[in-house]
């Protein structure tokens, strides 16, 4: 799971996207560590009901196990990200090793959902190393975040809602999780926060195409 609070690699020349496509009072929801056979479909139902599209950063091992959930994500019109094959820390890897991992992961995603574009890459743990430039060379944009809500250790739905209210800034990419554990609190928090944000004049957007 992603456990860092900063979504940009320090000291790296290739910028990582952490803002929305249109800026202003907009927010992009992104989800890591799926597909999960329980959490992801529940989350998809919530997003479908509220007419919100998101980015799902997919863990290759889970794609292999649950390809039908990948197809459901694609059918609902969400964007896909590559989140590595085994969710390893890539910070010290060579470009060649990173490239092999990302290619394997994207191949699994393509096998599950033929023709679906994989536009994004997010490094596990936010440990980027050389991965932004490798991902860009494979046609994927490195995707960071401005707010990591900290739902990998569920603190309670009310606390997740509080963090989203207090931590979301205009134009932010927000990091949540649909896999890697019991994500019922995340699903409930997303269900609550979408209408609340809309009532306050926020829009739900995708990430910017470039940093």
């Amino acid at each position: 799971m992603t456990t860092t609070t900063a979504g940009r690699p320090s000291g790296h020349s290739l910028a990582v996207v952490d803002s929305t496509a249109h800026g202003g009072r907009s927010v992009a929801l992104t989800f890591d560590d799926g597909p999960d056979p329980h959490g992801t479909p529940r989350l998809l139902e919530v997003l479908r009901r509220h007419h919100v599209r998101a980015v799902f950063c997919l863990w290759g091992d889970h794609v292999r196990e649950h390809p039908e959930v990948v197809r459901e994500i694609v059918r609902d019109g969400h964007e896909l990200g590559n989140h590595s094959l085994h969710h390893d820390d890539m910070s010290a890897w060579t470009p060649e090793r990173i490239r092999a991992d990302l290619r394997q992961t994207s191949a699994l995603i393509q096998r599950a959902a033929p023709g679906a574009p994989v536009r994004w890459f997010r490094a596990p743990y936010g440990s980027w190393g050389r991965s932004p430039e490798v991902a860009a060379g494979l046609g994927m944009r490195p995707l960071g975040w401005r707010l990591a809500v900290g739902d990998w250790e569920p603190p309670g739905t009310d606390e997740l809602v509080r963090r989203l209210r207090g931590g979301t800034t205009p134009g932010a990419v927000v990091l949540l999780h649909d896999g890697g554990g019991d994500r019922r609190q995340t699903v409930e928090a997303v269900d609550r926060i979408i209408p609340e944000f809309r009532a306050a004049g926020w829009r739900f957007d995708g990430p910017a195409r470039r940093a």
Side-chain angles (χ1 to χ4, degrees):
M1 295 168 218
T2 307
T3 57
T4 60
T5 55
R8 285 180 177 270
S10 60
H12 205 285
S13 60
L14 183 66
V16 171
V17 174
D18 65 1
S19 60
T20 60
H22 298 99
R25 286 178 67 80
S26 65
V27 58
L29 299 181
T30 68
F31 299 92
D32 282 9
D33 293 353
D36 179 86
H38 307 292
T40 307
R42 290 174 181 148
L43 180 62
L44 289 172
E45 192 280 327
V46 166
L47 296 173
R48 193 181 305 127
R49 180 155 36 84
H50 290 296
H51 306 287
V52 169
R53 291 184 178 174
V55 178
F56 286 81
C57 298
L58 304 178
W59 180 333
D61 290 327
H62 297 168
V63 171
R64 183 186 287 114
E65 294 166 359
H66 308 293
E68 73 288 349
V69 184
V70 179
R71 290 190 285 274
E72 186 177 357
I73 293 169
V74 171
R75 279 197 301 270
D76 279 7
H78 302 289
E79 294 192 49
L80 303 181
N82 181 319
H83 198 39
S84 86
L85 191 59
H86 305 305
H87 205 276
D88 294 318
D89 184 333
M90 296 180 164
S91 58
W93 286 18
T94 65
E96 293 75 21
R97 186 179 177 190
I98 296 167
R99 189 174 298 108
D101 184 290
L102 300 193
R103 281 177 169 161
Q104 283 183 272
T105 305
S106 288
L108 286 170
I109 295 170
Q110 287 295 311
R111 192 176 309 154
V118 183
R119 293 192 170 97
W120 304 102
F121 166 72
R122 176 173 278 158
Y125 310 105
S127 298
W128 295 94
R130 301 290 298 277
S131 66
E133 64 194 75
V134 174
L138 295 173
M140 294 179 286
R141 300 172 184 88
L143 179 62
W145 61 89
R146 289 190 191 168
L147 174 64
V149 178
D151 59 343
W152 49 84
E153 294 180 358
T157 302
D158 288 344
E159 175 61 17
L160 291 177
V161 170
R162 187 195 69 78
R163 293 176 187 179
L164 284 161
R165 284 176 187 151
T168 304
T169 55
V173 172
V174 173
L175 167 59
L176 295 141
H177 292 80
D178 64 315
D182 185 341
R183 297 294 168 233
R184 282 176 291 184
Q185 292 180 11
T186 298
V187 173
E188 291 166 1
V190 170
D191 196 18
R192 285 170 53 180
I193 207 69
I194 290 173
E196 182 177 312
F197 271 34
R198 277 196 171 132
W202 288 79
R203 306 181 315 279
F204 289 89
D205 199 1
R209 292 302 181 191
R210 61 187 64 190

